[in-house]
Amino acid sequence: MKLATAGVTENALAFQHNNLIRTPLRMGLLEARIFIRALSQIHQTDKAFKPIKIPLSFIVGPSPNGEAYEAARTACNALVGQILNILPHNARKGNLRKVPLMASIDLDLGTGTITGQFNELAKPYLLDLKSVGSFTSANIEKLLTFTNANSARLYWILLSYRNLESKSVTTKKQLELAELKAWMLNDEALYPVFADFKKRVLDPVAEDFQRIGFGATWVPVRTGKKT
């Protein structure tokens, strides 16, 4: 299903290869919204990237002020600077393969648009996924309702595991806390006290999930004092 708004055609679903979903990546809220809108303009059967065009109003609202413009500029700078360590599934632990996510981003205040292009090296993780397999889809509308970028990150991660099995069956997965923090925050050492991680990251995510009716729960597994 495609939605046409303000001259821009968007898909109702976004698609990512699971290796991209499960790579360390941290985004701010506006940065994540730009990324989501960019994902909405490609399809898992596409074989080539098309130029991305996003009305600025989609990101900062219909009546932006100077502060909103500056926030959008900061988000664009952050997104074009995302360099990801995306490794093949069978890569040796400790290997390194840095891939820029975006080739370019332009913010034009005159036309009120953000334009850009995904990096060609990101093709295996975003294009022709139907023939590759091991990909996950997510609803664009739900992704855009989240109030923080951590919610979108964990939503993608959990969906990538749920989709391995029937959606009518409860999927349980145990993740190392350091691994989860690396994927969500790009820093496995951040929030060394679990209570801080829960308060600043997991609790706000739980509120977002409850609002959209996403039935995901988690429990800490403790070994002595370690979570």
Side-chain angles (χ1 to χ4, degrees):
M1 178 180 179
K2 292 182 179 292
L3 306 175
T5 308
V8 176
T9 301
E10 297 183 311
N11 297 293
L13 296 176
F15 300 85
Q16 293 187 69
H17 192 283
N18 290 337
N19 284 12
L20 177 56
I21 292 172
R22 301 176 202 155
T23 197
L25 174 62
R26 186 178 190 178
M27 291 186 177
L29 182 58
L30 291 188
E31 184 185 356
R33 286 179 178 169
I34 296 170
F35 180 51
I36 292 165
R37 291 289 189 180
L39 288 177
S40 76
Q41 296 182 28
I42 58 179
H43 193 268
Q44 88 271 30
T45 58
D46 288 347
K47 298 183 182 299
F49 285 128
K50 302 170 185 175
I52 298 160
K53 181 180 179 182
I54 307 169
L56 188 56
S57 60
F58 283 14
I59 307 302
V60 295
S63 302
N65 53 23
E67 186 176 341
Y69 286 137
E70 188 56 36
R73 185 187 305 277
T74 298
C76 287
N77 274 323
L79 185 57
V80 81
Q82 289 284 0
I83 310 293
L84 308 180
N85 187 30
I86 310 178
L87 296 173
H89 180 68
N90 58 352
R92 182 175 178 179
K93 187 175 181 179
N95 282 10
L96 182 71
R97 183 175 187 268
K98 294 290 187 177
V99 176
L101 180 61
M102 306 297 298
S104 66
I105 289 184
D106 295 280
L107 172 60
D108 188 330
L109 299 183
T111 59
T113 56
I114 296 170
T115 56
Q117 188 88 28
F118 281 106
N119 180 9
E120 289 295 302
L121 293 175
K123 273 186 175 182
Y125 311 102
L126 293 172
L127 296 182
D128 199 20
L129 297 180
K130 197 167 185 178
S131 66
V132 175
S134 191
F135 68 90
T136 296
S137 63
N139 182 279
I140 293 291
E141 185 177 356
K142 288 185 177 180
L143 288 167
L144 291 172
T145 62
F146 291 138
T147 60
N148 70 75
N150 291 329
S151 301
R153 283 294 292 149
L154 189 53
Y155 184 65
W156 275 109
I157 291 167
L158 294 178
L159 284 181
S160 74
Y161 285 109
R162 187 186 71 172
N163 289 352
L164 295 176
E165 302 180 21
S166 169
K167 293 182 181 180
S168 63
V169 177
T170 299
T171 301
K172 294 183 179 181
K173 172 69 177 176
Q174 183 165 313
L175 291 173
E176 292 294 330
L177 185 57
E179 183 176 45
L180 182 61
K181 289 195 289 185
W183 287 348
M184 292 179 66
L185 307 172
N186 200 11
D187 186 350
E188 64 181 43
L190 195 60
Y191 303 125
V193 177
F194 177 73
D196 292 337
F197 178 67
K198 180 178 181 296
K199 177 181 178 181
R200 297 179 181 275
V201 179
L202 293 181
D203 287 348
V205 169
E207 291 177 9
D208 266 345
F209 283 2
Q210 185 177 21
R211 183 167 55 253
I212 71 166
F214 183 55
T217 58
W218 43 82
V219 292
V221 179
R222 301 184 187 278
T223 303
K225 294 183 178 181
K226 183 180 179 182
T227 301

